[in-house]
Amino acid sequence: MEVHHTPMPGEIPVPHGVQDYTTVDGRIVEESSEEFKFDDSNQKQIFAGLLHPEDSYTEDGTYWADLPFGQRVSFITKVDNAEAKREFGNFWKMFKNDPLSPVNWYFSNCVLPGAGLLLEGYVLFSIGNVSSLFQAAWPACWKTYDTCSNNWIAAVTYLEIVGIIVGQVLVGFIGDGIGRRWGLIQDAIIMFVGLIMLTASWGTSLQGWVICYAWSLFFYSIGVGGEYPMTATSGMEKGTRTVVSTSDDRLHRGRKVLQAFLMQGWGQFFNQTFLILLLIIFHHGSGNPPYSAVSVQWTFRIAFAIPAIGTLWLVYFRTFKMAKPSKELEEAKKKANVTGYDVESLKLILVNFGPRLLATAGSWFANDVFFYGNKLFQSNFINVISPNHKGVMLGWLYSLVNIGVSLAGYYLAAFFIDNKLYGRNIMMQVGFLMCFVLFVVPAFHFAYYRESVNITKFQTMYFLSSFFNQFGPNAVTFLVAAEVFPTSVRATAHGFSAACGKAGALLATVLYNYISDQTKFYFVPWFGLLGMILTFLFLPDTTGLDLMEQDRRWDFIRTGRSAEYHGIAIHPRHLSLWERMRGVHKNYNPELDYQQRVEELRKEWTDRQTSQFTAHKEEEPEDLVETFGHEVHNYFVRTTPVLRPRNPALNEKFDLTGPAQDI
């Protein structure tokens, strides 16, 4: 039915819209727009930029994962080369304008987001380093246990790990319930207070000091545990809540998160460097034993005081300068009409994404057994290279070299993590496989590799295991434990997975006290196979899949309409083998998904138009042309019924009558 509408006194039209129009079956048609025809081809041309971005779709609208292998490789290579060229161009432009501006960019986008991990990496790595120093300075307490309880010496490590587990689980819930910002500030405060406690730890006896030191470390570790889910979630969610996903999210989300995560490696590097320098300074210019109690006291207390200053600054920055890290979470809750913690989503996660949780938690558990097992190499080859060595300096120097190797693994992981031909899943499986090989070989030839003529081979396997641990499961578990879950419970899932990882570290720490080095090498390798199998079966590959699309699928699941979702989040490429075996991908339909997304965009546009009428006068109205693009905005103006306010006062004042869509 065709109806012509003329302007009425007091009528409030759609912003930027026409006031003299004709509707056909409730849709506006502009008689003067002869060049504009509402056919499918024109519509797809209009929405191509929003719904089919060129970094993920070909010109004919084919998703990159739907292309035959040869064409897929060609498309991915073309996109990656173009992006690399664009980024280098931006870098060169920045450098020409100001040679130090790239350094400022790196500090703002990599160092600051990972500052908490840098500081906690420094401190936690310091615990192991100063423990060897304590053994050398106070052997009766820390080595032979004549003056101190063996249980309390062991409790130092146990309480550290338990504190981290408590923080990971607790702050994961807080981050989803109260918000990311509060979780980040809380972590920094706890870590600062904990560092003051560690620096000032004291006792009337060595035993009393050990007890004070252990509980101080437990308190500090709660803040450390919270850093895991908070840094991962806030880092990957930043700037993702727009009308549609951004190319930065699709192409660089993994790199962005890992650039923050690898600050942990730099924390370890700085700690090892400072400890070496401090010991030389306070021990009369030498790192050789015997060590006086005074020099050890000064060394470890100054070593803890240094990050306390940085952590105090972190408290200030997160409280007063940090951008809103909870924005994406708040919008997700608003859309789901949830305040506080989204209990319903947590229940649905266990039902729908249980295998994913098994993959992220189980692989992290397996990896941390490996991570702590890596130290087995060092103690063995040092004993062969220098059987009569005393003191801590030789071990510290080898640790410094190992950290350098690990940093190379960190950076290479950040470089390849978003490559669609390699990506998360393959990187994790290859890393687990290489760690398995590098541990199983010396396990069954232990005596051979501990001979002095073969010790360089043993050292090589030590460094390679560190490299592939970082260029593999250690980096990928941190990313995917948040990435494969929806925004509303992302911190909870990440915190739980990380806590399971630390349970693996606790298992290794306890067990290694009761078995021989040979048995340890027999024990460790099989966790590499376990991690690889869990990854292969249950972990989806989200490389190139934006967070908004994953949250969009979750909206369908949460409202009981999972069968109605047809988008790329259920493309076989982005599902685990287990999910594909269960037929989750069967509803994938690009054409139906395109139609759904157009209507979803229309609803989003209409809702934002509605907010223009209800906004306060002092509020700046949103520029929908800028938000949606000129062509899309005009398309919705021309094809959506005119809106009028439902406010009774306005209706009476302007006597608004006639057909319109109430808002």
Short mmCIF file of all heavy atoms in Angstrom, two decimals, residues 302-330:
data_model
loop_
_atom_site.label_atom_id
_atom_site.label_comp_id
_atom_site.label_asym_id
_atom_site.label_seq_id
_atom_site.Cartn_x
_atom_site.Cartn_y
_atom_site.Cartn_z
N ILE A 302 67.00 -4.32 48.32
CA ILE A 302 67.01 -3.30 47.26
C ILE A 302 66.35 -3.86 45.99
O ILE A 302 65.64 -3.15 45.27
CB ILE A 302 68.45 -2.85 46.96
CG1 ILE A 302 69.05 -2.13 48.17
CG2 ILE A 302 68.48 -1.93 45.74
CD1 ILE A 302 68.33 -0.85 48.55
N ALA A 303 66.60 -5.15 45.73
CA ALA A 303 66.00 -5.78 44.55
C ALA A 303 64.46 -5.74 44.61
O ALA A 303 63.80 -5.59 43.58
CB ALA A 303 66.47 -7.22 44.42
N PHE A 304 63.88 -5.86 45.81
CA PHE A 304 62.43 -5.77 45.96
C PHE A 304 61.94 -4.32 46.02
O PHE A 304 60.80 -4.03 45.64
CB PHE A 304 61.99 -6.50 47.23
CG PHE A 304 61.98 -8.00 47.09
CD1 PHE A 304 62.43 -8.81 48.14
CD2 PHE A 304 61.54 -8.61 45.94
CE1 PHE A 304 62.43 -10.19 48.02
CE2 PHE A 304 61.54 -9.99 45.80
CZ PHE A 304 61.99 -10.78 46.85
N ALA A 305 62.78 -3.42 46.50
CA ALA A 305 62.38 -2.01 46.61
C ALA A 305 62.24 -1.36 45.23
O ALA A 305 61.40 -0.47 45.04
CB ALA A 305 63.38 -1.25 47.46
N ILE A 306 63.07 -1.79 44.28
CA ILE A 306 63.03 -1.19 42.94
C ILE A 306 61.66 -1.37 42.29
O ILE A 306 61.06 -0.38 41.83
CB ILE A 306 64.16 -1.78 42.05
CG1 ILE A 306 65.52 -1.33 42.56
CG2 ILE A 306 63.96 -1.38 40.59
CD1 ILE A 306 66.70 -2.00 41.88
N PRO A 307 61.10 -2.58 42.20
CA PRO A 307 59.76 -2.70 41.59
C PRO A 307 58.66 -2.07 42.43
O PRO A 307 57.58 -1.77 41.90
CB PRO A 307 59.57 -4.21 41.46
CG PRO A 307 60.45 -4.81 42.48
CD PRO A 307 61.65 -3.90 42.54
N ALA A 308 58.89 -1.88 43.75
CA ALA A 308 57.88 -1.22 44.57
C ALA A 308 57.63 0.20 44.08
O ALA A 308 56.48 0.68 44.06
CB ALA A 308 58.32 -1.21 46.04
N ILE A 309 58.70 0.88 43.66
CA ILE A 309 58.55 2.24 43.13
C ILE A 309 57.73 2.22 41.85
O ILE A 309 56.81 3.02 41.65
CB ILE A 309 59.94 2.86 42.88
CG1 ILE A 309 60.73 2.97 44.19
CG2 ILE A 309 59.81 4.23 42.21
CD1 ILE A 309 62.18 3.35 44.00
N GLY A 310 58.06 1.26 40.96
CA GLY A 310 57.29 1.14 39.70
C GLY A 310 55.85 0.77 39.94
O GLY A 310 54.94 1.25 39.24
N THR A 311 55.59 -0.07 40.94
CA THR A 311 54.22 -0.49 41.22
C THR A 311 53.40 0.65 41.81
O THR A 311 52.19 0.77 41.54
CB THR A 311 54.22 -1.70 42.17
OG1 THR A 311 55.08 -2.72 41.65
CG2 THR A 311 52.82 -2.28 42.32
N LEU A 312 54.03 1.50 42.62
CA LEU A 312 53.34 2.68 43.14
C LEU A 312 52.91 3.59 42.00
O LEU A 312 51.79 4.12 41.99
CB LEU A 312 54.25 3.43 44.11
CG LEU A 312 53.65 4.71 44.73
CD1 LEU A 312 52.40 4.40 45.52
CD2 LEU A 312 54.70 5.42 45.59
N TRP A 313 53.80 3.76 41.02
CA TRP A 313 53.42 4.56 39.84
C TRP A 313 52.27 3.89 39.09
O TRP A 313 51.37 4.57 38.58
CB TRP A 313 54.63 4.71 38.90
CG TRP A 313 54.27 5.38 37.61
CD1 TRP A 313 54.19 6.71 37.36
CD2 TRP A 313 53.87 4.72 36.40
NE1 TRP A 313 53.79 6.92 36.06
CE2 TRP A 313 53.59 5.72 35.45
CE3 TRP A 313 53.74 3.39 36.04
CZ2 TRP A 313 53.18 5.43 34.16
CZ3 TRP A 313 53.34 3.09 34.74
CH2 TRP A 313 53.07 4.10 33.82
N LEU A 314 52.28 2.56 39.03
CA LEU A 314 51.22 1.83 38.34
C LEU A 314 49.88 2.05 39.02
O LEU A 314 48.85 2.17 38.33
CB LEU A 314 51.56 0.34 38.31
CG LEU A 314 50.68 -0.56 37.43
CD1 LEU A 314 50.83 -0.18 35.97
CD2 LEU A 314 51.04 -2.03 37.63
N VAL A 315 49.87 2.12 40.35
CA VAL A 315 48.63 2.43 41.08
C VAL A 315 48.10 3.79 40.64
O VAL A 315 46.90 3.96 40.36
CB VAL A 315 48.88 2.42 42.60
CG1 VAL A 315 47.63 2.90 43.35
CG2 VAL A 315 49.25 1.02 43.07
N TYR A 316 48.99 4.77 40.58
CA TYR A 316 48.59 6.12 40.16
C TYR A 316 48.05 6.13 38.73
O TYR A 316 46.99 6.68 38.44
CB TYR A 316 49.79 7.06 40.27
CG TYR A 316 49.63 8.34 39.47
CD1 TYR A 316 48.82 9.38 39.93
CD2 TYR A 316 50.27 8.49 38.24
CE1 TYR A 316 48.66 10.53 39.19
CE2 TYR A 316 50.11 9.64 37.49
CZ TYR A 316 49.30 10.66 37.97
OH TYR A 316 49.14 11.79 37.22
N PHE A 317 48.79 5.47 37.82
CA PHE A 317 48.40 5.49 36.42
C PHE A 317 47.03 4.84 36.21
O PHE A 317 46.17 5.38 35.51
CB PHE A 317 49.45 4.76 35.57
CG PHE A 317 49.07 4.61 34.12
CD1 PHE A 317 49.24 5.66 33.24
CD2 PHE A 317 48.53 3.42 33.65
CE1 PHE A 317 48.88 5.54 31.91
CE2 PHE A 317 48.17 3.29 32.32
CZ PHE A 317 48.34 4.35 31.44
N ARG A 318 46.83 3.67 36.82
CA ARG A 318 45.56 2.97 36.62
C ARG A 318 44.40 3.69 37.28
O ARG A 318 43.26 3.57 36.84
CB ARG A 318 45.68 1.54 37.16
CG ARG A 318 46.57 0.65 36.30
CD ARG A 318 46.66 -0.77 36.83
NE ARG A 318 47.40 -1.63 35.91
CZ ARG A 318 47.67 -2.90 36.12
NH1 ARG A 318 47.27 -3.48 37.26
NH2 ARG A 318 48.34 -3.61 35.23
N THR A 319 44.67 4.45 38.33
CA THR A 319 43.60 5.16 39.03
C THR A 319 43.20 6.43 38.31
O THR A 319 42.01 6.74 38.19
CB THR A 319 44.03 5.49 40.47
OG1 THR A 319 44.42 4.29 41.14
CG2 THR A 319 42.89 6.15 41.24
N PHE A 320 44.17 7.18 37.78
CA PHE A 320 43.88 8.51 37.27
C PHE A 320 44.08 8.68 35.76
O PHE A 320 43.49 9.57 35.16
CB PHE A 320 44.74 9.55 38.00
CG PHE A 320 44.49 9.63 39.47
CD1 PHE A 320 45.38 9.06 40.36
CD2 PHE A 320 43.34 10.25 39.96
CE1 PHE A 320 45.15 9.13 41.73
CE2 PHE A 320 43.10 10.32 41.32
CZ PHE A 320 44.00 9.75 42.21
N LYS A 321 44.89 7.84 35.13
CA LYS A 321 45.24 8.08 33.73
C LYS A 321 44.74 7.01 32.76
O LYS A 321 44.72 7.24 31.56
CB LYS A 321 46.77 8.18 33.59
CG LYS A 321 47.40 9.32 34.37
CD LYS A 321 46.94 10.67 33.85
CE LYS A 321 47.65 11.80 34.59
NZ LYS A 321 47.21 13.13 34.08
N MET A 322 44.36 5.87 33.27
CA MET A 322 44.01 4.75 32.39
C MET A 322 42.67 5.00 31.69
O MET A 322 41.70 5.46 32.31
CB MET A 322 43.93 3.46 33.23
CG MET A 322 43.60 2.21 32.46
SD MET A 322 43.73 0.74 33.51
CE MET A 322 42.60 1.15 34.84
N ALA A 323 42.64 4.71 30.40
CA ALA A 323 41.38 4.79 29.65
C ALA A 323 40.41 3.74 30.19
O ALA A 323 40.81 2.81 30.89
CB ALA A 323 41.65 4.56 28.17
N LYS A 324 39.15 3.87 29.86
CA LYS A 324 38.12 3.01 30.43
C LYS A 324 38.25 1.57 29.90
O LYS A 324 37.82 1.27 28.79
CB LYS A 324 36.74 3.54 30.07
CG LYS A 324 36.45 4.92 30.68
CD LYS A 324 35.07 5.41 30.28
CE LYS A 324 34.79 6.77 30.90
NZ LYS A 324 33.45 7.28 30.50
N PRO A 325 38.82 0.67 30.70
CA PRO A 325 38.98 -0.71 30.23
C PRO A 325 37.72 -1.54 30.36
O PRO A 325 37.66 -2.66 29.86
CB PRO A 325 40.09 -1.25 31.14
CG PRO A 325 39.93 -0.50 32.40
CD PRO A 325 39.43 0.86 32.03
N SER A 326 36.70 -1.01 31.07
CA SER A 326 35.47 -1.78 31.28
C SER A 326 34.37 -1.42 30.29
O SER A 326 33.25 -1.93 30.38
CB SER A 326 34.95 -1.55 32.71
OG SER A 326 35.88 -1.96 33.67
N LYS A 327 34.67 -0.55 29.34
CA LYS A 327 33.64 -0.07 28.41
C LYS A 327 33.00 -1.21 27.64
O LYS A 327 31.77 -1.30 27.52
CB LYS A 327 34.26 0.94 27.44
CG LYS A 327 33.27 1.49 26.43
CD LYS A 327 33.95 2.45 25.47
CE LYS A 327 32.99 2.95 24.41
NZ LYS A 327 33.66 3.85 23.43
N GLU A 328 33.80 -2.10 27.11
CA GLU A 328 33.28 -3.21 26.31
C GLU A 328 32.43 -4.15 27.16
O GLU A 328 31.38 -4.63 26.73
CB GLU A 328 34.43 -3.98 25.66
CG GLU A 328 35.15 -3.23 24.55
CD GLU A 328 36.04 -2.11 25.05
OE1 GLU A 328 36.38 -2.14 26.25
OE2 GLU A 328 36.39 -1.22 24.26
N LEU A 329 32.87 -4.41 28.39
CA LEU A 329 32.11 -5.26 29.29
C LEU A 329 30.78 -4.62 29.65
O LEU A 329 29.73 -5.29 29.67
CB LEU A 329 32.91 -5.54 30.57
CG LEU A 329 32.21 -6.35 31.66
CD1 LEU A 329 31.93 -7.77 31.18
CD2 LEU A 329 33.05 -6.38 32.93
N GLU A 330 30.79 -3.33 29.92
CA GLU A 330 29.55 -2.62 30.26
C GLU A 330 28.55 -2.66 29.11
O GLU A 330 27.34 -2.83 29.34
CB GLU A 330 29.88 -1.18 30.65
CG GLU A 330 30.63 -1.06 31.96
CD GLU A 330 31.19 0.34 32.18
OE1 GLU A 330 31.01 1.20 31.28
OE2 GLU A 330 31.80 0.57 33.23
#
